[in-house]
Amino acid sequence: MLDPELTRKLRQLVGEKYYRDDPEALVTHSYDGTPMLQSLPDGVIYPEHTRQVAEILKLLAAHRIPVITRGSGSNLCGGTVPVQGGVVMVMHRMNRILDIDMENLTAKVQPGIITAEFIAHIESLGLFYPPDPSSMRISTIGGNIAECSGGLRGLKYGTTKDYVIGLEAVLANGEILRTGGKLMKDVAGYDLTKLLVGSEGTLAIITEATLKLIPPPKSKMTMTAMYMDLYGAARTVSRIIEAKIIPATLEFMDNPTIRVVDDFAKLGLPREMEAILLIEQDGDPEAVERDMERIREICEAERADRIEVAESRAHAEKLVTARRSAFTALARLRPTTILEDATVPRSQIAAMVLRINEIAQKYNVSIATFGHAGDGNLHPTAATDARDEEEVHRVEQAFQEIFEAAIELGGTITGEHGVGMVKAPYLEWKVGRAGMDVMRGIKQAFDPHNLLNPGKMFAKETRKRVVMTRA
């Protein structure tokens, strides 16, 4: 618990009901969407505006108290677990859309707004904000920025970093930093905006974001292609891109995922298929029809067993919703579900899926794989039970080898979930010793006393590289 005098000052800053240290609040904010990680904070605070955030940080910095910023806590890397105690700063009160600029096609928002609510409002104005993480109905824009969230539309439209053009953030000492703005060009010094996007709350606390908006596509078509041959599905992905077609969505589900999703969504999917591709294209109607016809030809050439085009918008939405529900469906299988992400070049998707299957067999664990095939970002998902320590250990060993396999195939340990606590032991595998030294130097410059989300990103020691063996 914090010093009573410090607690009194925090309550005075935000109001009695917006600082809590009762057991219910502490337990509620001791974990996030990542299974099997939990640590109690010393307090929970709910600021209302940037000036409050600055004053809170000045006060906590003077006492060397850690601060963990939190949106909805839906992240999957242990990014908001208060592993060293301290105060969890929840941003939900700062949830307003501050400005929609129709002349510059930008929006200025506070970090606590729910992503889906923001997207719905933007679409009601005839505009488009593409980043669409699967958690968007509960995740916040601030959390998306902290993790640089992706989504189903990432292949064609990019991820969160491609739409954040300006930030207001508060440093660990309480100073307010402003970067970027409504500008399409700005090379005045280092790009601090892009540095803060994806920094997982370790460098500064974001209090306001300026986001780029674009015109919405005029039409959309949705197709599913189903394969008995996993390599045929993977080759289809590569050939679509090789044909200079960039779909709005190009998603992959393997056989275990197909079976579970069909049980959950009741779509009548062919359960014997080894892979299903969900493909969407949007844009001008003529271009969409031309692209989808060419995509159909590629699917047929790669011996897709079934190809179906959605007959209506409702049918298309049902297919996309089924893909978005893959995690929810898999979570019904066992008490504990561990959803990971690893990214490889898209030409290596089939090889990566086969490696995942071999590793799962080697350790006798259940892993289903789905993900964003178009950009090579796969989500191997293990169904297990946290009460079975021996099985959980095997799952952890399996994922360590999966991350190793991704790097061997030219990929990375995380494409969109972030590093947090879960991937910290493997970060040096990807960035090397020099990269780690540079990152630690940046952290030191922003947060010399290591008060912002400590215990994340940089592990005390790096895991040794495992020796891969084929099962």
Side-chain angles (χ1 to χ4, degrees):
M1 300 296 289
L2 303 184
D3 177 80
E5 178 61 17
L6 176 58
T7 299
R8 184 190 68 78
K9 290 180 179 179
L10 290 171
R11 286 200 167 98
Q12 190 175 38
L13 271 176
V14 297
E16 188 70 25
K17 69 178 182 178
Y18 294 117
Y19 177 83
R20 295 180 59 182
D21 55 10
D22 56 283
E24 180 182 357
L26 299 185
V27 171
T28 301
H29 295 86
S30 66
Y31 59 91
D32 56 25
T34 319
M36 302 182 296
L37 293 177
Q38 187 172 19
S39 182
L40 285 173
D42 297 298
V44 182
I45 199 162
Y46 305 81
E48 184 180 14
H49 48 70
T50 301
R51 292 191 307 278
Q52 274 190 357
V53 173
E55 291 304 313
I56 292 165
L57 286 180
K58 287 177 185 176
L59 188 56
L60 293 176
H63 291 79
R64 299 292 191 266
I65 304 297
V67 183
I68 301 88
T69 324
R70 182 184 174 104
S72 297
S74 59
N75 81 89
L76 295 166
C77 65
T80 53
V81 177
V83 67
Q84 294 184 19
V87 173
V88 173
M89 184 179 288
V90 183
M91 308 305 285
H92 279 174
R93 292 179 72 200
M94 298 178 63
N95 61 2
R96 292 186 298 136
I97 298 174
L98 301 172
D99 174 56
I100 303 292
D101 187 334
M102 302 298 285
E103 293 182 340
N104 289 301
L105 292 187
T106 63
K108 187 178 291 186
V109 302
Q110 293 181 312
I113 187 167
I114 299 297
T115 308
E117 293 177 3
F118 171 69
I119 289 174
H121 180 73
I122 293 305
E123 290 181 350
S124 74
L125 300 176
L127 295 170
F128 188 34
Y129 179 74
D132 61 336
S134 295
S135 61
M136 65 181 184
R137 296 192 181 281
I138 56 172
S139 66
T140 63
I141 289 290
N144 295 170
I145 293 171
E147 299 294 344
C148 191
S149 299
L152 275 66
R153 296 192 287 240
L155 169 62
K156 183 173 185 176
Y157 290 102
T159 61
T160 300
K161 71 178 183 300
D162 300 300
Y163 296 87
V164 181
I165 57 176
L167 290 171
E168 176 187 80
V170 183
L171 302 176
N173 63 5
E175 290 187 27
I176 297 173
L177 172 71
R178 293 181 176 86
T179 73
K182 296 181 180 181
L183 308 168
M184 293 301 106
K185 290 183 178 179
D186 182 3
V187 292
Y190 298 133
D191 192 341
L192 298 179
T193 303
K194 291 295 188 287
L195 179 60
L196 291 179
V197 176
S199 62
E200 303 184 21
T202 64
L203 301 181
I205 293 179
I206 293 165
T207 54
E208 187 179 292
T210 301
L211 306 175
K212 178 177 69 174
L213 308 175
I214 62 176
K218 295 179 180 179
S219 69
K220 182 185 290 186
M221 289 182 66
T222 303
M223 172 192 294
T224 54
M226 309 175 193
Y227 297 80
M228 290 296 294
D229 174 20
L230 177 65
Y231 273 97
R235 285 193 304 269
T236 298
V237 173
S238 297
R239 285 197 58 191
I240 289 171
I241 306 302
E242 187 180 10
K244 300 180 177 62
I245 300 172
I246 306 297
T249 299
L250 183 45
E251 296 290 303
F252 168 88
M253 292 188 291
D254 72 354
N255 180 266
T257 309
I258 293 167
R259 290 172 177 270
V260 174
V261 167
D262 192 52
D263 287 339
F264 178 76
K266 309 299 182 186
L267 291 175
L269 298 175
R271 301 163 69 93
E272 73 279 8
M273 294 295 169
E274 287 300 314
I276 290 180
L277 297 179
L278 171 69
I279 307 164
E280 285 194 310
Q281 183 60 301
D282 61 14
D284 291 331
E286 298 83 1
V288 170
E289 289 187 15
R290 184 175 62 250
D291 284 351
M292 291 300 272
E293 181 56 35
R294 179 69 183 117
I295 289 171
R296 174 191 280 275
E297 291 172 0
I298 292 170
C299 294
E300 290 173 346
E302 294 299 338
R303 299 185 178 180
D305 290 82
R306 284 175 58 180
I307 299 172
E308 296 180 359
V309 177
E311 299 173 353
S312 64
R313 190 69 246 155
H315 185 201
E317 287 296 330
K318 190 173 183 180
L319 293 173
V320 174
T321 300
R323 161 57 189 88
R324 290 189 187 278
S325 69
F327 174 57
T328 304
L330 288 164
R332 300 165 69 234
L333 296 178
R334 301 283 301 280
T336 307
T337 306
I338 302 176
L339 171 62
E340 276 297 353
D341 82 317
T343 302
V344 294
R346 46 187 163 239
S347 61
Q348 298 289 349
I349 286 174
M352 186 64 193
V353 173
L354 289 176
R355 292 287 282 274
I356 291 169
N357 293 343
E358 291 171 355
I359 292 167
Q361 184 178 16
K362 173 181 175 181
Y363 289 100
N364 191 28
V365 295
S366 174
I367 296 181
T369 303
F370 59 93
H372 316 303
D375 53 27
N377 185 202
L378 298 174
H379 295 305
T381 304
T384 184
D385 188 336
R387 296 166 295 185
D388 188 337
E389 294 183 7
E390 190 275 333
E391 182 180 76
V392 168
H393 179 63
R394 285 187 279 113
V395 169
E396 290 173 343
Q397 288 179 303
F399 276 121
Q400 182 171 338
E401 290 202 14
I402 286 169
F403 303 147
E404 172 86 6
I407 290 175
E408 284 187 354
L409 293 170
T412 184
I413 59 173
T414 176
E416 59 185 6
H417 287 181
V419 176
M421 294 170 64
V422 173
K423 300 290 182 66
Y426 314 107
L427 182 59
E428 190 174 325
W429 292 6
K430 174 58 181 173
V431 304
R433 181 66 58 85
M436 295 293 287
D437 289 344
V438 169
M439 290 184 186
R440 288 192 178 101
I442 292 170
K443 171 68 169 173
Q444 176 70 18
F446 272 83
D447 180 19
H449 301 295
N450 193 27
L451 299 179
L452 297 181
N453 208 6
K456 314 296 164 56
M457 197 82 74
F458 309 111
K460 292 182 179 178
E461 62 178 284
T462 297
R463 294 275 177 89
K464 291 182 180 180
R465 296 286 290 269
V466 299
V467 178
M468 292 297 296
T469 58
R470 302 301 293 266

